[in-house]
Amino acid sequence: MSIAEPERLEARRAIIGDGFEIRRAIPHRHRRMVGAWCFLDHAGPVDYAPGQGLNIGPHPHIGLQTFTWMIEGEVTHRDSLGYEQLIQPGQVNLMTAGRGISHSEESPADRAGRFHSTQLWIALPDAERHREPDFHHYPELPIIDRGGFRITVLAGDCAGERSPACIYTPLVGLDLATSGSAHARLPVDPAFEHAALTLEGAPALNGERLEPGTLLYLAAGRDSLELDSPAPSRMLLIGGEPFSEEILVWWNFVARTPQEMEIATRDWIEGRRFGKVIGARGAPLIAPDPTNIARSA
Ligand code: MN
């Protein structure tokens, strides 16, 4: 069986909240999804002055899960279900939007800090995308030591260890960290496609050296991946069964039709469906004009 060549995809710069610059790896015009993972933002590492941290006011989501993996720093999540949760390094916040939820995310106010984080979205399959919203905080995740890599199992399973994160399609998410020279062969599900994004340093995956800002995509059909790092590094690896449903991703929504997007936008503007976030520092986000969804999605 022939295996497709890896694809290198450049992340693009984007601004979130009130001026916080991040690198957005997916969706990419050549690669919309990896399994059900449909969005990947890498923020930092960055040192910020008091008041200059992350500040994303209340905004709505539908049809997806937001998956936050905190590397350095702290962020407070608040949502319309009443959850208020500080996330710290080594922890995951997983919010299931289902039919609709709103939330805010902000750095602790009035002090300087350091911030390094990833936020991913997972598209919910059709049978689950209208479910009631939910929120989970995972303070601890399984860790495996292999060939000098410290592997945190963020989602799915790896080498017999399973993440507690509640997901609805076959997926994997791993953080691969090393404090020195390391080499490991990682067994993976051949039904999964994978993608890797370097968070720090310049490790190699299947011989492809990867610096921050480039996503390396590997099609399904591999039963193991080769990891190499000559020096301290950190990489995020995501994977999953190729998602079989056509989705639209627009603003903070994942849906199937422009009409669904328009209705969700109107519900947000008119104060329906998405509840209220209490205690957020930032103002509620203003929805873009949904008139051109069909063209932009
Ligand atoms: Mn959000």
Side-chain angles (χ1 to χ4, degrees):
M1 172 177 173
S2 71
I3 293 177
E5 285 296 303
E7 295 168 21
R8 298 179 82 95
L9 305 163
E10 295 311 304
R12 64 188 193 277
R13 305 244 161 212
I15 301 292
I16 58 171
D18 52 5
F20 210 81
E21 189 179 277
I22 57 87
R23 286 184 289 253
R24 183 158 297 156
I26 52 171
H28 187 283
R29 64 186 190 281
H30 298 304
R31 181 63 53 194
R32 314 289 302 174
M33 302 179 79
V34 178
W37 300 103
C38 62
F39 185 93
L40 168 53
D41 271 2
H42 179 204
V46 63
D47 293 303
Y48 60 85
Q52 299 298 304
L54 187 72
N55 184 18
I56 305 177
H59 59 278
H61 287 286
I62 61 168
L64 58 88
Q65 295 176 289
T66 62
F67 190 105
T68 305
W69 168 235
M70 203 70 200
I71 299 154
E72 293 179 85
E74 296 181 334
V75 168
T76 299
H77 157 99
R78 291 185 180 86
D79 66 41
S80 54
L81 299 176
Y83 288 99
E84 178 176 334
Q85 180 66 56
L86 182 74
I87 181 170
Q88 296 181 307
Q91 303 183 337
V92 162
N93 275 355
L94 179 60
M95 185 180 78
T96 303
R99 59 180 296 277
I101 194 170
S102 55
H103 73 147
S104 64
E105 294 160 292
E106 59 192 59
S107 304
D110 304 328
R111 58 179 154 102
R114 186 169 168 84
F115 184 69
H116 192 192
S117 175
T118 59
Q119 187 174 92
L120 302 101
W121 295 354
I122 303 169
L124 288 168
D126 199 47
E128 304 288 353
R129 69 191 184 97
H130 302 292
R131 63 183 301 114
E132 290 300 312
D134 204 354
F135 175 80
H136 285 97
H137 173 67
Y138 300 103
E140 277 182 55
L141 296 146
I143 292 172
I144 303 161
D145 287 306
R146 206 174 178 106
F149 284 94
R150 183 175 196 264
I151 304 172
T152 310
V153 187
L154 308 178
D157 53 69
C158 177
E161 294 288 340
R162 171 163 279 272
S163 162
C166 179
I167 51 175
Y168 296 94
T169 48
L171 281 183
V172 70
L174 304 173
D175 179 276
L176 309 159
T178 172
S179 52
S181 170
H183 171 83
R185 181 168 281 278
L186 203 64
V188 295
D189 188 331
F192 283 15
E193 54 186 351
H194 292 89
L197 187 73
T198 293
L199 306 174
E200 289 174 333
L205 179 66
N206 285 8
E208 299 272 341
R209 192 162 171 276
L210 205 57
E211 289 179 347
T214 304
L215 187 82
L216 187 75
Y217 172 81
L218 299 165
R222 292 164 169 87
D223 58 14
S224 69
L225 301 176
E226 187 99 19
L227 300 164
D228 262 300
S229 188
S233 70
R234 193 156 190 165
M235 179 181 266
L236 178 72
L237 180 75
I238 58 174
E241 281 183 11
F243 200 71
S244 59
E245 300 168 26
E246 285 291 320
I247 65 166
L248 295 180
V249 180
W250 180 79
W251 195 37
N252 294 303
F253 303 145
V254 172
R256 301 297 185 272
T257 66
Q259 289 72 20
E260 284 181 81
M261 299 294 194
E262 285 169 26
I263 293 165
T265 303
R266 208 176 315 130
D267 284 349
W268 173 244
I269 291 168
E270 295 172 9
R272 289 186 298 271
R273 192 192 323 193
F274 297 104
K276 276 227 161 359
V277 180
I278 307 296
R281 187 161 82 244
L285 302 197
I286 294 164
D289 180 356
T291 312
N292 295 320
I293 287 172
R295 225 177 312 152
S296 65

